[in-house]
Amino acid sequence: MIWLRNAMLYDGKTLRDGSWDICIEGSRIAKVIPCEAEKTALKNEGASCLDRDLRGCLVCPGFVDIHAHFRDPGQTWREDIESGSKAAAVGGFTHVVAMPNTDPPVDDPSGVRYVAEKGRQAGGAVVLPAGAVTVGRQGRTITEMIGMAKEGAVLFTDDGSPVLSSKAMRIALLYLKDLNIPLMEHPEEVSLSEGGQMNEGRISALCGLKGIPRSSEIIGVDRAIALCKETKGRLHLTHVSTKEALESIRKAKAEGLNLTCDVTPHHLVFDDEMIVKSGYSPAFKVNPPLRTKDDVEALWEGLKDGTVDAIATDHAPYHVDEKDLTFEEAKFGIASLECAVAVVLDEWDKRGKPFDLSRLLGLFTAGPGGIIGMDRTIKVGGKADITVIDLNREQKVDVRRWKSKARISPYDSLTLKGWPVMTVVAGEIRHAL
């Protein structure tokens, strides 16, 4: 039995008044009680239990990251399921969805089974598999999605690239409609982005680097929305980075389409000027690229008005030999799993808390959980997946201490305010400070 005492409580819907005691028995939540109620009885009952005083901290449903790259199978020098799982737990996530752009790709039931089995035993956050939409992620022939869903695939995506064939995407949306599983699309028109290094615009011109036009993402989003509308399928658009794409999503939602989207921490805190300010550090090279200040502001407005459903890390770890190169030669990707929540909480605080904390927390809990069919509420009888946040904790990012294998990140050495301090998975403490 575990007692989490004297904590503030976000139950997955509302930020409750006062302080609360939460009792965990086995893998379930046994009691949720105001601290002032039955105070003496609670003290006696908890005398022989694991008892944690969380005064000043906030208890939340377990955070979910629906987009991370764990490179397993086949590229485990970059990351593996165990290291990714433990990194996720340190970052406050109880569940994380692993992308299928591995080597070989996760494009059949056996691949999904491999990720699911290793993900259950990894020792940190539970790692859930995503399956590829097309065989070999080649964009032509759809995979055996029914068999993959039976093995535990929670969504389907060719992420790392878009579903190249519109016909294949259309067929996949029709199939997945019957399974009630979303297709996660990486919106990009590759004929426009090919060879690009950063966002196309004034900064790329000053840098002398080939730009990736914003139209690449806009066209990708508009194509996916058109197919979603025609098939009435479930579509999720990931790592949205431009204000025009977000506006297309806003309009599609107003029409009632079965559509969700996420944004990443790095697109919320950095713009393309950071590439120059950093001295062309490859840590800032990512796809989709960092956009303009106007785009950053548009994304925050999307968080506020509900257009954005989730914040996802797009954690993309690489070995130092693949990332510590010139900007042009380095791989695309930002590693952030262990500090992503702190990055967003810190920026939200610096912006003067532009919307309610409950809305922000929902972007890590009910939002992503709902996309993959996972209940994210704290209630008696519910599963004891819990994230504890200290909103006032200030801490420096130190990549040398990460559980992740990644050692290059744009967040390294930044001091951030607001950190996960405990992660509980099915009643077991997987991380605690």
Side-chain angles (χ1 to χ4, degrees):
M1 182 183 293
I2 301 171
W3 278 99
L4 306 178
R5 297 195 187 274
N6 302 312
M8 297 178 286
L9 177 61
Y10 170 70
D11 62 13
K13 296 180 181 178
T14 59
L15 195 58
R16 297 192 187 181
D17 293 331
S19 298
W20 295 77
D21 290 336
I22 296 94
C23 177
I24 299 169
E25 292 184 5
S27 65
R28 298 285 168 177
I29 296 171
K31 295 180 182 179
V32 181
I33 306 172
C35 284
E36 295 304 315
E38 307 172 49
K39 195 169 186 180
T40 303
L42 287 175
K43 189 178 292 184
N44 293 337
E45 188 175 356
S48 61
C49 304
L50 179 59
D51 200 304
R52 297 296 296 261
D53 186 349
L54 298 178
R55 196 179 311 271
C57 293
L58 176 61
V59 169
C60 312
F63 287 6
V64 179
D65 181 11
I66 57 170
H67 187 153
H69 298 269
F70 287 169
R71 316 301 193 189
D72 190 356
Q75 300 166 335
T76 53
W77 67 90
R78 296 172 175 171
E79 194 79 283
D80 59 50
I81 290 173
E82 182 179 351
S83 65
S85 165
K86 291 178 178 178
V90 172
F93 297 99
T94 62
H95 293 77
V96 59
V97 181
M99 295 294 99
N101 62 330
T102 49
D103 185 16
V106 179
D107 64 354
D108 61 23
S110 65
V112 172
R113 188 184 314 121
Y114 169 84
V115 175
E117 289 178 354
K118 289 194 73 173
R120 284 190 291 268
Q121 302 167 10
V126 176
V127 180
L128 304 170
V133 176
T134 62
V135 176
R137 296 177 51 254
Q138 295 298 307
R140 292 189 288 270
T141 305
I142 64 169
T143 54
E144 189 185 340
M145 289 186 283
I146 293 175
M148 295 163 77
K150 287 179 180 177
E151 293 291 346
V154 296
L155 55 80
F156 288 87
T157 181
D158 278 357
D159 185 69
S161 59
V163 179
L164 292 174
S165 164
S166 296
K167 180 179 179 180
M169 186 191 293
R170 185 179 187 276
I171 293 170
L173 283 165
L174 289 168
Y175 267 89
L176 292 174
K177 184 166 64 170
D178 293 333
L179 296 176
N180 195 29
I181 295 176
L183 186 154
M184 174 192 278
E185 173 64 345
H186 165 125
E188 178 183 3
E189 173 48 62
V190 294
S191 66
L192 291 171
S193 59
E194 186 176 9
Q197 300 290 329
M198 63 177 294
N199 182 57
E200 184 179 85
R202 182 180 65 88
I203 303 299
S204 67
L206 290 172
C207 295
L209 293 171
K210 180 175 172 56
I212 298 173
R214 53 202 308 109
S215 57
S216 174
E217 176 173 284
I218 296 164
I219 290 169
V221 164
D222 288 344
R223 177 188 74 143
I225 288 173
L227 293 170
C228 175
K229 185 174 184 177
E230 185 171 78
T231 61
K232 297 181 173 58
R234 284 191 65 192
L235 174 67
H236 179 79
L237 292 162
T238 193
H239 51 49
V240 177
S241 65
T242 60
K243 60 183 180 182
E244 296 92 344
L246 195 66
E247 184 58 29
S248 291
I249 293 167
R250 186 177 284 114
K251 290 177 180 177
K253 285 189 166 192
E255 293 177 15
L257 269 64
N258 197 353
L259 171 67
T260 52
C261 73
D262 69 65
V263 299
T264 71
H266 47 270
H267 288 116
L268 291 171
V269 299
F270 298 131
D271 59 59
D272 55 359
E273 292 185 14
M274 283 301 303
I275 294 169
V276 178
K277 292 175 181 176
S278 70
Y280 303 97
S281 168
F284 291 91
K285 186 177 180 180
V286 67
N287 186 29
L290 301 178
R291 303 292 187 178
T292 68
K293 284 183 170 65
D294 286 347
D295 293 305
V296 173
E297 295 306 315
L299 297 187
W300 277 95
E301 185 60 32
L303 299 184
K304 182 178 180 179
D305 69 16
T307 302
V308 177
D309 301 275
I311 296 173
T313 67
D314 194 9
H315 173 69
Y318 283 99
H319 190 273
V320 65
D321 291 345
E322 301 170 295
K323 196 68 175 168
D324 190 17
L325 302 167
T326 65
F327 194 89
E328 295 92 329
E329 295 175 310
K331 296 284 189 181
F332 288 96
I334 287 177
S336 66
L337 200 51
E338 285 166 72
C339 64
V341 171
V343 165
V344 176
L345 287 172
D346 182 78
E347 183 68 13
W348 173 80
D349 185 67
K350 286 176 178 174
R351 286 174 169 264
K353 304 176 182 177
F355 47 84
D356 290 345
L357 179 59
S358 58
R359 169 64 189 153
L360 185 64
L361 297 172
L363 293 161
F364 289 108
T365 55
I371 291 164
I372 59 172
M374 180 180 291
D375 178 39
R376 294 287 89 178
T377 54
I378 290 180
K379 58 186 177 184
V380 173
K383 201 167 183 181
D385 295 328
I386 289 172
T387 299
V388 182
I389 300 291
D390 184 343
L391 294 170
N392 294 311
R393 181 182 180 87
E394 293 189 4
Q395 181 177 312
K396 183 178 286 188
V397 179
D398 185 355
V399 297
R400 295 169 300 177
R401 301 179 63 184
W402 277 8
K403 300 294 184 183
S404 169
K405 295 181 181 181
R407 289 296 178 268
I408 293 180
S409 171
Y411 305 110
D412 191 27
S413 298
L414 294 182
T415 298
L416 305 173
K417 179 182 177 183
W419 284 85
V421 293
M422 182 184 293
T423 308
V424 181
V425 179
E428 180 181 335
I429 297 175
R430 298 287 175 92
H431 168 72
L433 294 179

